[in-house]
Amino acid sequence: MGNANGESSNNNNNARLAIMELANMISVPMSLNAVVKLKVADAIWQNGSNAPLSPVEILAKIRGPQGGGDAENLQRILRMLTSYNVFKEHVVDDGSQRRYSLTEVGKTLVTDENGLSHGSYVLQHHQDALMRAWTMVHEAVNDSSIEPFVKANGEPAYNYYGKNPEMSSLMLNAMSGVSVPFMKAILEGYDGFQGVKTLVDVGGSGGDCLKMILEKNTNIELGINFDLPEVVEKAPQIPSIKHVGGDMFDYIPKGDAIYMKWVLTTWTDDECKEIMKSCYNALPEKGKFIACEPVLPHHTDDSKRTRALLEGDIFVMTIYRAKGKHRTEEEYRQLGRAAGFNDCKGFYIDHFFTILEFHKSS
């Protein structure tokens, strides 16, 4: 009996610790947000040296001649994020001094030569308007006809961004910071653009991704960057790329392949069927629709990938569309069939995204 009681007590202790960690979990993203705002990763990285620095030394680099700042409070933040493998802690001598370098996770926050990092993605997720929505996640259960973001801020997120140039700019940087590494992974590991002559990028914004695809796949003679008129009118001129404005629910320009990245997630099932039907109608026989989306695994586990995908799903539900969602490959296959496509193949290329190929044939 003693052992059984001891085991039960230990389980109870672990359960209480687990719920305490979950209850305080907001400390993690908000501390991450803080180190991005403070530019801690760039201060430590110093063009690749990544030498362990004390909080005092980090403050000297990020604050410059003006000095000041509280090194003890910075250390408290760094210690906590070390427990989540963002920083590596180097304890000096008797433990009275701690220094910090970047782990592989921490390096994703370093600004590259193009001014990009995952730091903007962190900042974009924790702006005031979005934080207001997070207190209302339960409302997506009570009434899914309106998003928590709308209840908190009075209008849909994209409308809100449109009226706030700073938010809009941050979102573009955030998307670029995530998309560029993914596009590099696609171009290295996916050969589905071979044999394509005309490629349409739906929701291609300024045409950056399409440009990367054309540079790698010289067989593509024409790239069509298709987005809303107000988006493409600001797009730069790029050789071999034609910018076309329109609404994907009305039509999509014709091409022998259609490419779409991170678009279907924010639409309902019925809307996805409409979008995919537009793609089907724009393709010739044996044409293909290539969708890059966060695809949920069938089974739920506690891996980092599954958690990132499920957490992203709640983000979509809370901020963008209460009935937009991350889907499984089988759910996408069913949507594709409803739009007329006869099969769907999934290619796992990246940590977060999966490439889905939908083929049109009789």
Side-chain angles (χ1 to χ4, degrees):
M1 288 295 289
N3 284 343
N5 288 337
E7 187 176 331
S8 174
S9 175
N10 191 45
N11 287 341
N12 286 340
N13 285 340
N14 287 338
R16 285 194 290 270
L17 276 174
I19 202 66
M20 289 296 286
E21 181 189 2
L22 288 169
N24 285 296
M25 190 68 80
I26 194 168
S27 301
V28 181
M30 298 318 297
S31 293
L32 199 59
N33 200 53
V35 298
V36 173
K37 285 186 173 182
L38 292 167
K39 297 181 169 48
V40 170
D42 288 342
I44 295 173
W45 185 242
Q46 290 295 305
N47 299 316
S49 73
N50 198 26
L53 298 178
S54 70
V56 171
E57 291 168 330
I58 293 170
L59 273 178
K61 288 184 181 298
I62 61 181
R63 293 184 64 84
Q66 73 183 46
D70 192 310
E72 182 187 17
N73 282 352
L74 176 58
Q75 177 167 290
R76 293 162 74 183
I77 291 170
L78 296 174
R79 279 199 74 184
M80 192 276 294
L81 290 175
T82 294
S83 76
Y84 283 90
N85 196 36
V86 178
F87 299 98
K88 181 178 181 182
E89 188 175 70
H90 308 259
V91 180
V92 181
D93 300 328
D94 59 354
S96 60
Q97 189 179 40
R98 301 170 192 268
R99 293 175 179 270
Y100 297 88
S101 60
L102 301 175
T103 62
E104 290 302 310
V105 177
K107 289 174 190 175
T108 66
L109 303 177
V110 174
T111 309
D112 68 13
E113 64 276 9
N114 298 310
L116 299 176
S117 78
H118 277 63
S120 294
Y121 188 72
V122 173
L123 294 177
Q124 194 265 333
H125 274 52
H126 300 96
Q127 298 169 98
D128 290 348
L130 282 73
M131 296 304 294
R132 285 193 288 271
W134 279 114
T135 64
M136 307 181 82
V137 176
H138 63 289
E139 293 293 354
V141 176
N142 290 329
D143 178 10
S144 62
S145 68
I146 183 169
E147 289 70 39
F149 185 95
V150 176
K151 287 197 171 181
N153 296 289
E155 59 185 325
Y158 286 117
N159 292 15
Y160 194 95
Y161 293 169
K163 294 175 183 176
N164 294 269
E166 212 171 289
M167 289 185 76
S168 189
S169 175
L170 180 58
M171 184 181 180
L172 287 174
N173 280 343
M175 296 303 99
S176 295
V178 173
S179 294
V180 170
F182 169 63
M183 286 305 302
K184 288 178 179 175
I186 279 191
L187 296 173
E188 287 171 14
Y190 175 67
D191 61 6
F193 297 114
Q194 290 179 8
V196 173
K197 298 296 183 187
T198 301
L199 177 66
V200 182
D201 184 357
V202 178
S205 191
D208 292 337
C209 288
L210 193 53
K211 181 184 176 188
M212 290 176 74
I213 294 171
L214 265 63
E215 285 173 351
K216 178 76 173 181
N217 298 272
T218 54
N219 52 281
I220 301 174
E221 297 170 359
L222 175 65
I224 298 175
N225 179 46
F226 183 66
D227 212 314
L228 294 169
E230 60 267 29
V231 174
V232 297
E233 71 181 15
K234 298 173 186 174
Q237 292 303 307
I238 304 170
S240 301
I241 292 179
K242 179 182 178 184
H243 299 294
V244 177
D247 186 334
M248 63 185 172
F249 288 100
D250 295 333
Y251 82 102
I252 287 172
K254 294 188 181 299
D256 39 285
I258 292 170
Y259 172 76
M260 188 181 291
K261 178 172 62 62
W262 223 353
V263 171
L264 298 174
T265 292
T266 53
W267 300 99
T268 67
D269 287 346
D270 287 341
E271 289 163 342
C272 282
K273 288 176 194 173
E274 287 184 53
I275 295 166
M276 294 169 89
K277 188 67 178 173
S278 292
C279 292
Y280 183 88
N281 292 336
L283 288 168
E285 205 65 23
K286 296 187 178 177
K288 63 183 171 183
F289 165 42
I290 304 163
C292 301
E293 296 289 338
V295 174
L296 292 175
H298 180 68
H299 297 288
T300 306
D301 58 49
D302 62 358
S303 69
K304 282 188 171 21
R305 183 170 188 267
T306 297
R307 281 180 169 172
L309 289 164
L310 292 171
E311 288 159 5
D313 183 45
I314 304 304
F315 180 82
V316 170
M317 180 183 78
T318 303
I319 306 302
Y320 293 124
R321 293 297 296 279
K323 297 300 286 182
K325 57 188 175 182
H326 290 180
R327 298 171 173 88
T328 65
E329 187 174 327
E330 181 56 33
E331 287 172 325
Y332 275 116
R333 184 173 286 112
Q334 290 175 13
L335 291 173
R337 284 181 185 144
F341 292 102
N342 68 333
D343 74 337
C344 168
K345 293 178 183 175
F347 300 86
Y348 171 63
I349 297 286
D350 176 72
H351 61 297
F352 193 72
F353 296 94
T354 298
I355 295 177
L356 300 162
E357 272 189 10
F358 298 87
H359 294 264
K360 177 178 178 177
S361 59
S362 53

